[in-house]
Amino acid sequence: MKLKSFLFICVFSLITLCTSYAQEKGQAELKNGNLSSSKELWTEAFTWYEKAANKGNAEAMYHLAYMFENGQGRDQDYAQAINWYKKAIQNNYSYALIALGIIYQNNDLYEEAKNCYQLAAQKGIADGMELLGFLNLTKQNYSDAILWFKKAADKGNKEAMYQIGLLYQEGLDLNADEEEAKKWFKKAADKGHEEAKAKL
């Protein structure tokens, strides 16, 4: 009985060690990819990201998708970009929702884009909230736009703060209010938003 317990512990420890080793390998390759990318060695970066992604590294999947989307290290391929963004999402890399949503939006697939942004917003990602604001703005749903911009602004998103300022300045679905606009422009400017600084 003791021998069985000992063997179980040994096997369990070996599996844990192998899993940990695989994760570390994925991390090492991701770091190599990031290093190559910082030097704009796109082909080399692509190779490292692909190796890490194939080992299940979600961040590498995201970078691989971005490279396919922008034609870095490989020919531009939106189908592959979408495929890898989806894999990153399945592996809980939530920021891939934003990138995938932007691809959909740029191809006039507004419902798909909206779904991505909403999922990102549900995960507390301010960029998802901001992009929902923009999506509603393009559809002239001003009340929904300001609602999402305010949620993003509450999380410190400077672009959302600036957009709220514009909405107050222009009086879109709000009473035009220069003081309120100025307040929001100042918040955005304090965070380094250049256009908000110019508005002030």
Side-chain angles (χ1 to χ4, degrees):
M1 195 69 177
K2 285 181 182 178
L3 182 60
K4 284 184 181 178
S5 297
F6 175 74
L7 288 172
F8 174 78
I9 290 165
C10 286
V11 170
F12 181 77
S13 297
L14 186 61
I15 291 168
T16 305
L17 187 64
C18 288
T19 305
S20 174
Y21 179 71
Q23 287 172 348
E24 284 172 17
K25 285 284 283 184
Q27 283 298 317
E29 289 158 4
L30 174 67
K31 284 177 184 174
N32 286 334
N34 289 340
L35 184 62
S36 299
S37 182
S38 71
K39 295 175 181 176
E40 297 186 5
L41 300 170
W42 304 125
T43 305
E44 191 177 302
F46 186 96
T47 301
W48 285 116
Y49 287 140
E50 190 173 40
K51 285 178 181 179
N54 286 330
K55 289 180 182 291
N57 189 298
E59 187 180 342
M61 293 172 190
Y62 172 83
H63 290 303
L64 204 56
Y66 183 87
M67 294 186 85
F68 272 119
E69 182 185 356
N70 294 283
Q72 293 176 334
R74 285 293 185 279
D75 290 337
Q76 193 173 48
D77 188 332
Y78 285 110
Q80 282 285 9
I82 289 167
N83 177 49
W84 281 106
Y85 280 136
K86 285 181 175 178
K87 284 183 179 181
I89 291 162
Q90 287 163 3
N91 284 276
N92 300 314
Y93 198 81
S94 301
Y95 284 93
L97 286 162
I98 303 296
L100 183 59
I102 290 169
I103 289 179
Y104 286 143
Q105 189 173 344
N106 289 341
N107 286 281
D108 299 326
L109 300 168
Y110 292 107
E111 279 306 307
E112 289 87 343
K114 185 180 175 183
N115 288 339
C116 287
Y117 300 153
Q118 281 179 329
L119 285 169
Q122 286 167 12
K123 291 176 182 292
I125 299 171
D127 288 347
M129 298 168 192
E130 177 209 328
L131 289 164
L132 279 171
F134 275 116
L135 207 57
N136 281 291
L137 203 58
T138 60
K139 298 288 184 182
Q140 298 184 334
N141 298 329
Y142 299 119
S143 56
D144 285 342
I146 198 159
L147 172 77
W148 284 110
F149 283 140
K150 282 186 173 178
K151 286 185 177 185
D154 286 343
K155 290 192 162 285
N157 185 294
K158 65 184 177 184
E159 182 61 36
M161 293 170 188
Y162 175 70
Q163 292 300 323
I164 295 166
L166 288 178
L167 287 165
Y168 274 113
Q169 187 180 46
E170 294 166 14
L172 296 172
D173 206 51
L174 298 163
N175 292 324
D177 187 332
E178 280 295 320
E179 283 306 307
E180 195 66 18
K182 186 178 174 183
K183 181 185 92 175
W184 285 101
F185 288 144
K186 186 174 185 321
K187 284 185 177 186
D190 287 346
K191 288 192 163 284
H193 195 290
E194 294 302 322
E195 288 172 84
K197 290 177 188 177
K199 284 282 185 185
L200 287 171

